[in-house]
Amino acid sequence: MNGHVKNMHFQHFMETATTLLSLLLLMAVDSTKIVAAGRNPQCGNALQQTLKLTRLAQKESVDLIKTYKASQGEMSELLCKVTVNNIPDPSISGLEPSERILSIYTQLQAFLPHFKRVYEQQTDLQSPTSPLLSELAGVRARSRNLAASIKTFYQSLFPNLPVPDPAGGPTTLPPSQNVFQQKVYGCVVLRTYKEFLSNVSRELRTLKSKVCRRRIQKNKLF
């Protein structure tokens, strides 16, 4: 009788342990799947692509300013130091991650008409074969691609929030300018854009550590 009772207790213990082990294994597999899901669609490919484009745009902006100064003749080093109004702000605004990502997107859109104006002005000032013209056209195209990547990243994180289109309000361009003012304006636009890209790169790295890890941690809890 005692042996029978012991066998029953042992059998019950083994069944309980097996059930518990199965549950733990199931939870571990589900947790791995959730973490992977949290990394890939929301914070994985879209963010990596955006960071890659931002770094490339940063490098190009540094090279572009050098080319710009070299093509402007005398006093080229002083051009970027002059203050110009109605240039997009290089800083990123907003408190919530969604607001800050939209701020990046809005500012990128705001720079586009300025790039177009600088290109038109430099077309009149440079020879058709000037490398500056091709680099100016390239930075404009890169900015469009970066804006599209930011939009994709935003929609992957916040699929239920709208994206303003067109982003922001109308962009104010400068009135008619003399040659010197045109040279100053172009240099300030490019310098401000370079500062903006540095802020974007820093912001995206912060978002990666805050938003992505927070979502993964949240998934683990559930």
Side-chain angles (χ1 to χ4, degrees):
M1 184 69 177
N2 288 339
H4 180 66
V5 171
K6 285 181 181 178
N7 285 336
M8 288 182 63
H9 278 302
F10 180 76
Q11 185 178 358
H12 180 68
F13 170 78
M14 289 300 296
E15 288 175 352
T16 304
T18 303
T19 303
L20 240 128
L21 183 60
S22 299
L23 282 172
L24 287 172
L25 286 172
L26 185 61
M27 287 172 65
V29 171
D30 286 345
S31 176
T32 302
K33 287 180 180 177
I34 290 172
V35 170
R39 280 199 187 110
N40 291 333
Q42 288 142 347
C43 297
N45 296 333
L47 178 58
Q48 290 304 320
Q49 178 67 15
T50 304
L51 274 169
K52 181 179 178 181
L53 282 174
T54 302
R55 293 189 184 110
L56 182 58
Q58 271 184 287
K59 181 183 181 304
E60 288 177 345
S61 69
V62 173
D63 295 337
L64 177 56
I65 289 179
K66 292 178 182 177
T67 303
Y68 186 90
K69 288 180 178 179
S71 66
Q72 301 307 308
E74 296 180 0
M75 301 177 63
S76 60
E77 287 299 324
L78 301 176
L79 297 177
C80 287
K81 298 179 181 179
V82 180
T83 301
V84 177
N85 295 325
N86 300 321
I87 301 296
D89 196 325
S91 61
I92 298 167
S93 62
L95 298 176
E96 297 297 324
S98 59
E99 295 171 340
R100 296 186 71 78
I101 297 173
L102 271 186
S103 175
I104 295 172
Y105 179 63
T106 300
Q107 293 299 83
L108 280 168
Q109 298 279 10
F111 271 105
L112 291 177
H114 289 279
F115 292 146
K116 181 181 179 183
R117 172 64 68 85
V118 173
Y119 180 85
E120 290 170 349
Q121 291 176 342
Q122 291 299 315
T123 299
D124 294 333
L125 298 175
Q126 307 295 327
S127 68
T129 58
S130 171
L132 176 61
L133 298 180
S134 60
E135 288 186 34
L136 284 171
V139 75
R140 194 174 168 204
R142 184 79 61 195
S143 297
R144 284 201 191 95
N145 292 338
L146 183 55
S149 185
I150 289 288
K151 184 177 180 180
T152 300
F153 177 50
Y154 176 83
Q155 290 175 322
S156 70
L157 286 177
F158 311 102
N160 298 321
L161 296 180
V163 179
D165 195 19
T171 300
T172 304
L173 293 173
S176 298
Q177 299 168 309
N178 60 39
V179 172
F180 179 74
Q181 289 172 329
Q182 290 179 17
K183 291 181 177 184
V184 168
Y185 167 70
C187 200
V188 174
V189 167
L190 299 181
R191 181 204 67 196
T192 307
Y193 183 63
K194 181 173 72 73
E195 294 174 10
F196 172 67
L197 290 176
S198 296
N199 293 337
V200 172
S201 182
R202 191 181 307 112
E203 185 68 26
L204 291 176
R205 290 195 298 269
T206 300
L207 286 168
K208 183 178 181 180
S209 62
K210 285 185 177 180
V211 179
C212 298
R213 289 179 185 174
R214 187 194 312 161
R215 282 173 174 256
I216 292 170
Q217 187 64 31
K218 184 178 178 182
N219 285 335
K220 283 182 179 179
L221 293 175
F222 292 95

